[in-house]
Amino acid sequence: LQTRLNTSRFMRVTALENTNLNDPFPESVDESLWGFDSPIGPHDGLVMDQVDFSNGEICLLDMGYSSAAEVMGFMMVNIQNEGNQVTLEYKNEQGPVMSSSFALDDNREWTYFSLLSGETVNLEPEPGTWHLMFSGYTEIFDFDGGPLPYLVTGVLSIPEGTQIYDAGTDQNWDDLFNSDWEDMEFTNHWNAIGYDWKSYSLELGEYSVDDAHLYCARDAVGREFLFRFLDFYDSSGNPGTITLEIRER
């Protein structure tokens, strides 16, 4: 069983040894012990994989921030599974210990569970019906020789089989559309598109999008698309509305 955090909340996790869910929350945690999920995906760098639930470890979750930037506090969590059945035991800082059991969704790549509501959440469309997720997520930068997690807004290519080629800014739209794509080095990294198709000017206080930056996508059944970003603003000038131009080959 693999478990991913909701990285749009800037969530992080650390393992707790010789601790059970009836124990009090730790007063503090060494910052170096916290881990963030890698944005590369699909199964690389998942920090929950490092928690040895089968041998009695549990984890401490920093729940990150709400969409209104409110601090969400901490939870202690234990995860057990047998086949496609999963049992979660968890508590927040007010307690008590709660328990939820559910079956993994065989019709989705991931099954989503909210520790806040205690229920599974239907978020993911059926396989084969989508290619890109537009979301906030936690990018991991290299800063001064170490990792620097930072919350960004961007695009992730999550569905299994989706591959991306970043064609850069030096190619012509029509020429690239009509060219041979067989020798392109496509990648299945979730953050291959990422966040940097836009840039922010501190001087002007606004975002800009380079529509010369082209991307190629190929899905699990071989459909191919050329696309580029055109805008990050709505008609009223509010940021966060993404406009794309897409052509299927």
Side-chain angles (χ1 to χ4, degrees), residues 5 7 9 27 34 47 76 86-88 90-91 93-94 97 103 136 144 147 150 152 174 202 204 210-211 237 249:
L5 303 176
T7 68
R9 289 189 179 275
E27 294 184 2
W34 288 108
V47 288
M76 294 167 64
V86 179
T87 298
L88 296 178
Y90 51 97
K91 73 173 184 179
E93 294 166 277
Q94 288 73 45
V97 176
D144 200 21
Y150 193 81
V152 299
D174 291 321
L202 290 173
L204 299 176
D210 185 356
D211 61 10
R249 289 179 16 123

Side-chain angles (χ1 to χ4, degrees), residues 48-62:
M48 296 285 268
D49 286 355
Q50 302 170 21
V51 182
D52 193 357
F53 293 108
S54 62
N55 286 318
E57 284 188 352
I58 63 174
C59 70
L60 178 66
L61 276 177
D62 180 342

Side-chain angles (χ1 to χ4, degrees), residues 93-193:
E93 294 166 277
Q94 288 73 45
V97 176
M98 295 171 283
S99 179
S100 299
S101 297
F102 57 92
L104 299 177
D105 187 344
D106 293 332
N107 297 316
R108 301 290 189 276
E109 292 181 33
W110 297 88
T111 301
Y112 299 85
F113 184 86
S114 169
L115 290 169
L116 302 177
S117 68
E119 299 176 328
T120 56
V121 184
N122 185 18
L123 295 179
E124 185 175 305
E126 293 183 5
T129 64
W130 66 295
H131 300 94
L132 305 177
M133 183 176 80
F134 298 80
S135 177
Y137 71 94
T138 303
E139 182 63 66
I140 309 295
F141 296 95
D142 183 13
F143 179 76
D144 200 21
L148 175 65
Y150 193 81
L151 194 61
V152 299
T153 298
V155 184
L156 300 175
S157 49
I158 289 179
E160 186 173 355
T162 300
Q163 296 184 309
I164 300 296
Y165 175 72
D166 184 342
T169 60
D170 296 330
Q171 301 199 52
N172 176 270
W173 172 262
D174 291 321
D175 290 344
L176 182 57
F177 181 82
N178 294 311
S179 66
D180 184 356
W181 288 15
E182 290 308 311
D183 292 331
M184 292 180 178
E185 296 183 1
F186 283 84
T187 178
N188 66 351
H189 289 177
W190 283 6
N191 62 343
I193 303 169

